[in-house]
Amino acid sequence: MRCRALILAFGLMLSSLALNAAWAADPPHINKPRPAPADMPPVVPPLPPAQFDNKLAIGGEDVKAKKVSTRLSVDVLVNGRGPYQFVVDSGADTSVVGLKIAHDLELPLGTPAILNGTTDRALVDRVKVAQLTLGPSVITNLELPALKEEDVGGAGMIGIDALTKQRLMMDFEQRLIKVEDARTPIKAEPGEIIILGYRRHGQLILTEVRAGGIPIEAVIDTGSEVTIGNSVLRDKLLRKGREKFWTVPATGVTGVTVQLQMARVGDLELGPVNLQDVPIAFADVPPFKLFGLDNEPALLLGTDLLETFRRVSLDFLARKVRFQLRRCRTEAIFVSTSPGEMATRISSRGDPDVCGR
């Protein structure tokens, strides 16, 4: 078990504040994140349910990735400068730049905003970025939070704002990321599991997922190193045996650290994939309320579980997610958030399509 705090970079839903901001002629003075007003409830529109598909494949440009713990980071240019190593976070509505980049490039101050992170809700300063470049993708005219690199887990973070019109394939086995314009026609390949989801504020939310036989909604969160369920799910799954909990420290992007209670869940189904004895943390973190998932069983799928797959692919425009196993046979795997030598078992539940190479 790792002693350091796990990094949680989920749910950076920004609510702009009507505050004056000026262009800076010198390195910007960026304030520390501070407590956010409590009277700004999230507005989440109703969206259609999800369904399974099996025809997603991603071509496009290869972008070399670096594995940092369980997460993948890639080279990103900021205003043509760099490259800088940014963590890829499918759960964050906004990209982020580190304080060093903001100061070195003398990025102008933007408008402060409310940041709804996993461990807290804070008011943060933003800076103006003319251009972010990730592989073939160029995103312009952005206002991004400027946060400490040690809290973000890299020089910055790529969020939904840079991915909404992209297909993204994360190959944990080869440490490779493939980026493709989502408007390019897709082509089918064997060995894929596709879950068609729906979006809230750009997020992909999957509905055809079960934990302990209970239908749940799940969010793919490549920026968080721990998988988290809400208290509604905890109470349905773990009415007894609370003495079996253990705790792990987790740090959000604003630097706030919380202790998460974790327990082993007997069965988690992601379409035709089945995981047994799965470590899941339980906490009513802000993203559940933000996306209207606080009153129903819900799960944030972190990279502690996602890295156990060979590949995870996301099509944000078409609302599709693909999982592919590393091996066809049922096998024991070790999840980074498990205590000691506790093993999780993963299998295809008899579906041969998930095993194709």
Side-chain angles (χ1 to χ4, degrees):
M1 189 62 193
R2 294 170 297 170
C3 296
R4 68 174 183 81
L6 296 162
I7 294 175
L8 303 174
F10 177 89
L12 304 186
M13 173 59 62
L14 292 172
S15 304
S16 296
L17 300 181
L19 301 177
N20 292 326
W23 288 83
D26 298 309
H29 175 73
I30 299 170
N31 294 303
K32 294 180 180 180
R34 51 269 190 209
D39 57 351
M40 294 185 68
V43 178
V44 181
L47 289 164
Q51 61 181 331
F52 282 89
D53 194 345
N54 62 358
K55 296 182 180 180
L56 176 65
I58 295 178
E61 183 171 327
D62 291 346
V63 181
K64 290 184 179 180
K66 178 181 179 182
K67 191 172 181 181
V68 181
S69 189
T70 60
R71 305 192 298 173
L72 293 179
S73 62
V74 295
D75 286 345
V76 174
L77 299 180
V78 180
N79 291 352
R81 299 275 295 276
Y84 305 99
Q85 282 285 313
F86 275 40
V87 173
V88 177
D89 187 353
S90 67
D93 287 66
T94 177
S95 298
V96 170
V97 296
L99 289 176
K100 188 176 188 302
I101 294 175
H103 285 112
D104 288 351
L105 302 188
E106 298 184 1
L107 299 177
L109 282 173
T111 306
I114 302 295
L115 185 150
N116 292 277
T118 306
T119 61
D120 74 330
R121 190 169 182 266
L123 176 62
V124 298
D125 284 353
R126 294 189 296 175
V127 292
K128 296 180 179 181
V129 175
Q131 182 175 286
L132 276 185
T133 305
L134 167 65
S137 302
V138 178
I139 316 300
T140 58
N141 299 322
L142 300 167
E143 287 195 36
L144 306 180
L147 303 172
K148 288 183 178 180
E149 288 82 0
E150 57 264 36
D151 296 332
V152 174
M157 189 165 64
I158 286 292
I160 297 294
D161 50 358
L163 299 172
T164 51
K165 295 180 180 179
Q166 303 298 316
R167 296 189 192 108
L168 179 73
M169 185 275 288
M170 306 182 72
D171 190 323
F172 289 95
E173 189 174 69
Q174 299 295 325
R175 298 185 184 183
L176 177 74
I177 288 179
K178 190 181 289 288
V179 180
E180 179 180 44
D181 190 319
R183 292 166 292 191
T184 302
I186 61 175
K187 57 182 179 181
E189 289 183 358
E192 301 162 359
I193 312 163
I194 320 303
I195 302 175
L196 182 62
Y198 65 91
R199 296 193 301 173
R200 284 181 177 157
H201 299 296
Q203 304 293 351
L204 287 169
I205 301 180
L206 315 178
T207 57
E208 297 187 48
V209 178
R210 291 176 176 268
I214 299 169
I216 63 175
E217 294 196 327
V219 177
I220 301 291
D221 182 11
T222 63
S224 174
E225 292 187 278
V226 60
T227 295
I228 305 175
N230 61 7
S231 62
V232 179
L233 179 61
R234 177 200 64 199
D235 293 343
K236 286 181 176 292
L237 291 175
L238 304 167
R239 293 186 178 91
K240 298 179 181 180
R242 295 294 178 86
E243 71 282 355
K244 296 181 180 179
F245 280 101
W246 68 93
T247 61
V248 295
T251 300
V253 293
T254 57
V256 174
T257 298
V258 298
Q259 296 293 325
L260 296 178
Q261 281 195 323
M262 298 196 70
R264 184 168 53 183
V265 172
D267 184 76
L268 177 64
E269 297 176 17
L270 303 172
V273 170
N274 178 262
L275 295 99
Q276 296 179 322
D277 294 326
V278 185
I280 295 177
F282 292 95
D284 286 323
V285 294
F288 288 123
K289 184 175 182 180
L290 181 68
F291 298 115
L293 301 177
D294 51 330
N295 294 319
E296 56 190 291
L299 189 69
L300 312 179
L301 284 167
T303 56
D304 58 336
L305 294 187
L306 296 177
E307 71 153 354
T308 64
F309 292 92
R310 179 190 177 206
R311 292 175 175 172
V312 176
S313 302
L314 308 170
D315 186 327
F316 293 93
L317 192 63
R319 309 183 312 277
K320 294 180 181 180
V321 176
R322 179 188 77 186
F323 299 97
Q324 188 172 25
L325 296 178
R326 292 175 185 263
R327 295 177 179 84
C328 295
R329 64 180 183 275
T330 299
E331 64 172 331
I333 57 176
F334 293 94
V335 178
S336 60
T337 47
S338 299
E341 297 300 318
M342 187 185 85
T344 297
R345 298 191 69 81
I346 186 170
S347 66
S348 67
R349 297 174 55 206
D351 189 331
D353 287 340
V354 308
C355 302
R357 302 293 291 184

